[in-house]
Amino acid sequence: MDNLNSSPSPVRWFMVLRRSKPVESPVRKFSTSSLCEEVLTKVRDAFSSGKTKPYSFRLLQLNAILQMLEEHEADFIEALNKDMHRPRFETVLSEMITVKNEAMYAINNLQKWMKPKTVQKSMISLLDNCFVQKEPVGVVLIVGGWTFPIEQSLIPMIGAVAAGNCVILKPSENSSQAANLLQILLPQYMDTSCYHIIRGEHRDVLTVLENKFDHVFYTGDRTIGKQVLQVAAKKLTPVSLVLGGKNPCYVDKLCDLRVAARRIAWARFINAGQNTLAPEYVLCHPDLKERLIHELRNCVREFYGHNPRESPDYGRMACTEQYQRVKDLLSTGQVAFGGETDDGDLYIAPTVLTDVQEPDAIMEHEILGPILPILTTQTLDEAIDFINKRDRPMTIYVYSGNQEVISQIMHRTSSGSFCSNDSMIQNLNTSLPCGGIGNSGIGIYRGKYSFNTFSHRRACVLRTTTAECVTHLRYPPYTEKTLQLIKWACTLSKKENSSWCCIL
């Protein structure tokens, strides 16, 4: 590829440093929609040239992402440690392995995904070639989240690249070191005429959307997500939203409470609780509450010691704004354990709350911090009713040794995903879709689902002119005889379960 290592256009808010090792550098951000429009024009020209469509080009770019992750893993670990005191173990597990697997999965399956899909034909179309062709939608805007900034930027980007699109990526400013690193590294590995990074605050995406994109993929909070949807609708731009929600976790009496506590505590307190798939609250029977709190306290001590602030394995909040927002939630209910904070260090201890009421702010908004409220319900039906009267969440968890309890919750509730007897493990499987439903998001992604999200499925029929003896039946003058023949040829047959369709 001739321009793989070519220098990018000198746009004010877009800067690239070509070094073997990235270093900290001043960041230039866009300030007006016109600047984004300038880059968008160049990217759209690149897409119009058709260079992103061939299998060889897509494969080259996917391998470039994989190579970047492998060669600069230590740099990503360091950046996320600076952003949120993230332990190396957590970054490797939750971001590096996950994104590498996503890229490798796309590389291994891309050729199969790109193949046209043949469809069943009717008697009238037996001589035709009928298939669905998957084509790139065009220029995609991806707005990454801040809780897992590498994963939430690159996983949707991998899907968009695999589908043959051009991409403008806007990583989150709440994880500024990670955003800086992506801004420096991506142009070193990927075609700079097709893939660009823009910088700015999350709210600035609304200004960027004054330009026309072919698809917008947004990860972030619900308030801005709704605004993104409204602004994109003015230009009829398709939108995918990953918004998070209040993920319930039901703990049944018939479960291994020790194992349940370990898995819940790990999922809630990894990355200092900054995770849209973490359990947001626990529902359990009143008789179980104190035992569960005891086990959770033991797990926190086992994981992080008696003072988590001194543990090398416990993170910090990503920015002052998020820290203060989560700290304010500690005034809700009663602290069962934890609750310590440090403004200077953006530290909030792993905390469990009790006596939380439904109208409390912590039950209305996604926590994204190391706080776990525990509420009680007398029966399984009461727990299901509690879940169902709230907005549908990103995921639902249930811990039980009773398969009937698991089945009841799975079939009587609705959520983006569901997992029994573990938490967040569904996110590690590249074959499973990820995404919310209702207020927790729109659309799905991961693996083939990402490829489909960023592809247009084009219905194609390749005919000849040799069947005019049949197709003439559709022409005037109309007669009852020709109508009956057409009905016979086109009507669905229940017995054969056929998909006859009229292609006259």
Side-chain angles (χ1 to χ4, degrees), residues 153-195:
S153 292
L154 294 187
I155 283 185
M157 185 172 184
I158 287 168
V161 171
N165 299 281
C166 288
V167 177
I168 294 179
L169 171 65
K170 198 206 83 61
S172 173
E173 294 303 316
N174 282 353
S175 302
S176 60
Q177 295 295 323
N180 289 346
L181 191 57
L182 284 173
Q183 187 180 36
I184 292 169
L185 290 180
L186 272 177
Q188 296 183 36
Y189 287 84
M190 303 190 72
D191 189 307
T192 56
S193 68
C194 302
Y195 312 106

Side-chain angles (χ1 to χ4, degrees), residues 128-142:
D128 303 330
N129 185 9
C130 304
F131 58 92
V132 175
Q133 179 71 51
K134 293 179 181 177
E135 298 182 343
V137 296
V139 178
V140 174
L141 173 65
I142 295 176

Side-chain angles (χ1 to χ4, degrees), residues 44-52:
R44 197 168 291 284
D45 288 344
F47 179 76
S48 298
S49 72
K51 70 184 302 182
T52 63

